[in-house]
């Protein structure tokens, strides 16, 4: 179980490597937001060194630097500039290009390990669990931070970052015999007791079993 946490979620690769050295292998991966990205590398059984290299190529400061200049006009004169449900301050093209380059046309259901990707329905705020279909599109949806990146349309739904509905979607793995989670302290607390719509602010890691 890999919760949201930005680039810090890369720690999942190291944790998985350490567990593997002790003979512990996952048979299911659940990821939310950036946790879904690194979870996909784990589900694809990417070797640790290669996974770290992939992560460095996928994640950089450039991802949030692709400004959508039209968005500023949409804020100032929304009716004239066409403010709509796809409003975003940043373009999602670069992150989509990198994810497509890394995973190509792979599908979630064909990965060596089962992968469940958490996203959020932009219209209702309800959690959406993606278990089939194009991997790249699902990852883009799970990381589409509202107002920062545009929503991603999958099967007629506009999907945004899974962190909006559940930053640590433990309920997506209730069928597991043993659950190992990697997330953030506040995310762990709120995922079990807090309301939906919470936004993570803590950078302190936590893990539970």
């Amino acid at each position: 179980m890999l919760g949201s946490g930005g680039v810090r979620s890369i720690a999942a690769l190291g944790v998985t490597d350490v567990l593997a050295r002790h003979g512990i292998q996952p048979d299911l991966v659940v990821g939310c937001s950036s946790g879904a990205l690194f979870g996909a590398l784990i589900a694809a059984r990417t070797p640790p060194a290669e996974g770290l290299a992939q992560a460095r190529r996928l994640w950089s400061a450039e991802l949030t630097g692709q400004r959508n200049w039209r968005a500023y006009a949409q804020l100032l004169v929304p009716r004239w500039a066409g403010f709509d449900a796809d409003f975003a301050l940043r373009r999602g093209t670069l992150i989509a290009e990198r994810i497509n380059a890394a995973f190509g046309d792979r599908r979630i259901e064909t990965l060596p390990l089962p992968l469940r990707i958490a996203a959020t329905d932009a219209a209702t705020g309800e959690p959406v669990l993606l278990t089939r279909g194009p991997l790249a599109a699902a990852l883009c949806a799970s990381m589409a931070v509202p107002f920062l990146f545009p929503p991603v349309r999958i099967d007629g739904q506009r999907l945004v970052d899974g962190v909006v509905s559940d930053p640590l979607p433990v309920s997506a793995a209730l069928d597991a015999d043993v659950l190992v989670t990697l997330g953030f302290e506040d995310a762990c607390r709120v995922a079990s007791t807090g309301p939906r719509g919470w936004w993570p602010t803590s950078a302190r890691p936590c893990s539970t079993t």
Side-chain angles (χ1 to χ4, degrees):
M1 165 66 59
L2 309 178
S4 61
V7 71
R8 294 178 293 271
S9 296
I10 198 173
L13 302 180
V15 171
T16 304
D17 185 35
V18 171
L19 290 175
R21 292 180 203 171
H22 289 80
I24 302 173
Q25 298 282 356
D27 53 16
L28 169 67
V29 180
V30 179
C32 173
S33 194
S34 56
L37 176 63
F38 301 117
L41 293 173
I42 295 169
R45 292 197 184 278
T46 308
E50 182 183 338
L52 183 58
Q54 283 266 42
R56 287 172 173 165
R57 288 193 294 269
L58 286 165
W59 200 280
S60 72
E62 294 174 295
L63 294 181
T64 56
Q66 303 292 302
R67 288 183 174 83
N68 176 20
W69 296 109
R70 179 169 173 260
Y72 297 95
Q74 290 175 311
L75 288 173
L76 293 171
V77 282
R79 184 173 298 179
W80 176 80
F83 187 97
D84 57 21
D86 292 325
F87 172 83
L89 292 169
R90 298 291 186 268
R91 299 194 305 273
T93 51
L94 181 59
I95 191 169
E97 288 171 1
R98 290 187 179 182
I99 290 176
N100 275 292
F103 298 103
D105 59 358
R106 300 188 76 166
R107 296 180 63 84
I108 300 171
E109 65 269 25
T110 63
L111 292 171
L113 287 176
L115 175 65
R116 300 173 185 175
I117 297 175
T120 303
D121 187 316
T124 66
E126 292 294 316
V128 175
L129 197 63
L130 302 169
T131 60
R132 300 182 61 83
L135 176 59
L139 293 175
C140 287
S142 187
M143 295 190 294
V145 180
F147 305 115
L148 184 61
F149 292 116
V152 176
R153 284 181 170 80
I154 296 179
D155 294 335
Q157 284 182 298
R158 286 188 305 108
L159 302 181
V160 295
D161 201 316
V163 73
V164 175
S165 54
D166 193 348
L168 194 66
V170 175
S171 60
L174 292 181
D175 54 337
D177 293 327
V178 176
L179 180 62
V180 177
T181 69
L182 178 63
F184 292 82
E185 185 173 319
D186 286 350
C188 291
R189 173 176 55 81
V190 176
S192 60
T193 62
R196 286 179 182 163
W198 172 87
W199 199 265
T201 57
S202 174
R204 291 172 293 177
C206 73
S207 62
T208 61
T209 58

